[in-house]
Amino acid sequence: MIDTNNSQEFKIKSLRSFDFSALARSNAIRRETPETAPELPVVMACIRVIAESCASLPLHLYRLDSDNAKIKATDSPLYNILHKRPNEEQTSLELREQIILHYLLYGNSFCQIVRNQPGVVTDLMPLHPSRMAVERLSDGSLRYVYKEPNARETIYQPRQIFHLRMPSLDGLNGMCIPKMISDAIAHARALEQHGLTYFSNGARPGCVLESDAPIPTDAAERIREQWERLHRGADRAHRTAVLPNGLKVHELTGSNENSQFISARKLSVIEICRAFRVPPHLVQSLEGATYSNIEAQGREFLTYSLLPHLRRIENAIARDLIDDETIFAEHDVHAFMRADSSARSAYYAQMLSTGVMSINEVRAAEGMNPIGPEGNERYMQSQFVTVKSIAEQQGEKQND
């Protein structure tokens, strides 16, 4: 910026203190989309921790027997599709991870359901949500219109589509988080751009070239261009400057500390974590974190963030893929305890002492082989007795 005035003072201001509002307004012209949002590290971290956590959990198909007990429905063709191989190209983890990434970024996730002649599901093929339109017809039914890469439209009936959606306002399409928090993402992106500009200038806040003698505008422009060519950029910082007669250099006093750059970046991380319901420590924001509260936040992450996603997945499977009411899908959330040996030991000890689990069931949960038929026995500690039993025992002693 060049400033010439009647006081014969010439100044070149190469960088001012950071103006959050101005840069955020200029950056907001580019509206955030599901495609651009993951370019921001905190958004990528949030969707990865949710998608990878959900997809890494074992997903089993169960059947209720005549006693209303659940057993794994390993004889169902759908079991292998959900648990092992959903199609020829992907594993179960890869497909579920992709489904959840689409679901978090676009608000919707779609798969084409391929069935054979008897109507048995044989494959699940992912469809990109940006190409899918959900329409409600005049008779109240739904149809799915998919735009192929060659611009041809393919119409699917509800029975042909697996549809996972975020919370919905119209009952058809889920809410798109990146679009709903586009201002927060734009603010975080503006902070990144400021940091990039600041450090690309050698982490220097800028300077003013001042002269007591009048300098023509053309000459001022040449001086500014020469100065920036020689001194702007991290690889040119701290070079020795040779100035024309009467020209003085004054550094601006603005700094990232004065403009609250660091605190603003921390706040932007919290805002985006809040939208995705991810504890900040899971995206490596450890401000104020301690061992005790991280453990509590980990439990809250499972309860308040992951479980709603897992239940939506299970309900969508029941609606779109399963015709038998005695069969249902369920994630094994106990797998989260594998990283905590103390919690696993305490849990299994409690289950064994109360007769809820047998030794073989504990070994199976740990991926170990059974020890034999005797491992199916259940045990229970007998310290807990009724008051009536105590009175009867005392009476027997008195009679003796």
Side-chain angles (χ1 to χ4, degrees), residues 46-56 92-110 162 164 166 276 306 309-310 313 331:
C46 285
I47 62 176
R48 278 193 62 190
V49 72
I50 295 175
E52 292 173 356
S53 297
C54 292
S56 63
S92 173
L93 186 146
E94 290 172 342
L95 177 65
R96 287 190 285 147
E97 188 176 56
Q98 182 181 7
I99 287 174
I100 299 168
L101 286 174
H102 285 170
Y103 157 81
L104 293 171
L105 287 174
Y106 293 87
N108 298 277
S109 189
F110 305 95
F162 171 80
L164 177 66
M166 288 286 281
F276 284 98
L306 292 189
H309 298 311
L310 298 176
I313 295 170
H331 292 87

Side-chain angles (χ1 to χ4, degrees), residues 193-262:
Q193 291 177 351
H194 165 65
L196 178 63
T197 302
Y198 180 76
F199 288 103
S200 67
N201 283 282
R204 297 170 66 90
C207 65
V208 173
L209 300 181
E210 181 179 333
S211 175
D212 294 332
I215 300 178
T217 302
D218 293 342
E221 286 287 351
R222 288 195 301 272
I223 295 173
R224 180 177 65 83
E225 291 174 0
Q226 292 174 2
W227 178 272
E228 291 188 347
R229 185 173 64 252
L230 294 174
H231 300 284
R232 186 172 186 178
D235 58 335
R236 298 182 177 91
H238 311 297
R239 281 187 172 186
T240 301
V242 178
L243 302 176
N245 186 28
L247 206 60
K248 302 176 183 178
V249 180
H250 300 283
E251 288 195 6
L252 298 178
T253 58
S255 66
N256 278 333
E257 288 78 9
N258 293 338
S259 61
Q260 298 181 336
F261 173 71
I262 297 177

Side-chain angles (χ1 to χ4, degrees), residues 1 6 57 71 77 171 192-193 209 229 275 369 382 394 398:
M1 179 177 179
N6 295 330
L57 287 175
I71 56 176
E192 281 207 340
Q193 291 177 351
L209 300 181
R229 185 173 64 252
N369 293 326
S382 60
Q394 292 294 332
Q398 291 177 358

Side-chain angles (χ1 to χ4, degrees), residues 248-299:
K248 302 176 183 178
V249 180
H250 300 283
E251 288 195 6
L252 298 178
T253 58
S255 66
N256 278 333
E257 288 78 9
N258 293 338
S259 61
Q260 298 181 336
F261 173 71
I262 297 177
S263 60
R265 289 208 68 181
K266 292 178 181 178
L267 179 61
S268 69
V269 170
I270 298 298
E271 286 294 308
I272 294 174
C273 286
R274 181 179 292 124
F276 284 98
R277 303 184 76 175
V278 172
H281 77 272
L282 291 178
V283 296
Q284 285 70 54
S285 178
L286 301 176
E287 185 75 10
T290 64
Y291 178 81
S292 59
N293 65 22
I294 281 182
E295 185 179 3
Q297 289 181 57
R299 291 193 297 268

Side-chain angles (χ1 to χ4, degrees), residues 297-349:
Q297 289 181 57
R299 291 193 297 268
E300 291 178 356
F301 176 61
L302 171 61
T303 304
Y304 300 113
S305 181
L306 292 189
L307 278 182
H309 298 311
L310 298 176
R311 294 297 176 260
R312 285 194 181 94
I313 295 170
E314 293 166 2
N315 290 339
I317 291 173
R319 180 195 62 211
D320 298 332
L321 300 178
I322 299 176
D323 296 326
D324 189 345
E325 294 184 355
T326 63
I327 295 179
F328 61 96
E330 189 174 81
H331 292 87
D332 182 9
V333 296
H334 294 100
F336 275 120
M337 290 196 306
R338 290 188 180 275
D340 190 342
S341 58
S342 298
R344 292 205 319 275
S345 299
Y347 172 76
Y348 291 142

